[in-house]
Amino acid sequence: QVELQESGGGSVQAGGSLKLSCASSGSTAGFCLAWFRQTPGKEREFVARMERFGRTTYADSVEGRFTVSADMHTLYLQMDSLASEDSAMYYCAADNRFCSMNSADFRYWGQGTQVTVSS
């Protein structure tokens, strides 16, 4: 069983930066780790993922601005050049079966952390 807990969200002005963290209670070695985001009334949207051997993939909308990284028990999302359209609840997710960009394929989720970008 893996439990995930996000932190680091908050309010920032457009052009600013935030770094999100996602701490895991158990080992996520060999897991696919990902960040998704969601705004009210919309489906959960893929943001970035780190595959089991460290390869990273980003949504086109965040490529070049966001960076995903990880250490032993924590997944990070460095977000730079933030824009109002980045405002959302951000979730981390993990799974050891698949490594897709589809939220339905992830079994383990955190509770989310809110990011609000004001213009």
Side-chain angles (χ1 to χ4, degrees):
Q1 184 71 16
V2 173
E3 294 184 357
L4 305 173
Q5 179 64 59
E6 303 92 339
S7 62
S11 297
V12 63
Q13 290 191 331
S17 298
L18 281 174
K19 186 173 185 177
L20 306 183
S21 299
C22 172
S24 65
S25 61
S27 174
T28 54
F31 276 60
C32 177
L33 306 172
W35 289 98
F36 289 81
R37 66 187 180 186
Q38 189 172 25
T39 54
K42 294 189 177 181
E43 293 187 357
R44 202 161 288 190
E45 174 191 27
F46 170 78
V47 175
R49 69 180 176 185
M50 176 173 283
E51 298 177 48
R52 61 179 63 192
F53 297 115
R55 187 171 67 175
T56 57
T57 308
Y58 299 91
D60 289 344
S61 59
V62 307
E63 179 82 52
R65 301 188 298 121
F66 290 14
T67 304
V68 62
S69 61
D71 58 26
M72 185 67 72
H73 291 292
T74 305
L75 178 71
Y76 302 98
L77 185 67
Q78 175 68 45
M79 305 186 296
D80 299 318
S81 302
L82 284 162
S84 57
E85 52 264 36
D86 296 316
S87 296
M89 184 71 78
Y90 282 72
Y91 298 90
C92 63
D95 201 281
N96 59 353
R97 303 165 302 165
F98 310 111
C99 199
S100 76
M101 293 181 280
N102 186 344
S103 60
D105 291 334
F106 287 82
R107 287 189 295 180
Y108 304 107
W109 291 89
Q111 294 300 307
T113 186
Q114 180 67 41
V115 171
T116 302
V117 184
S118 58
S119 56

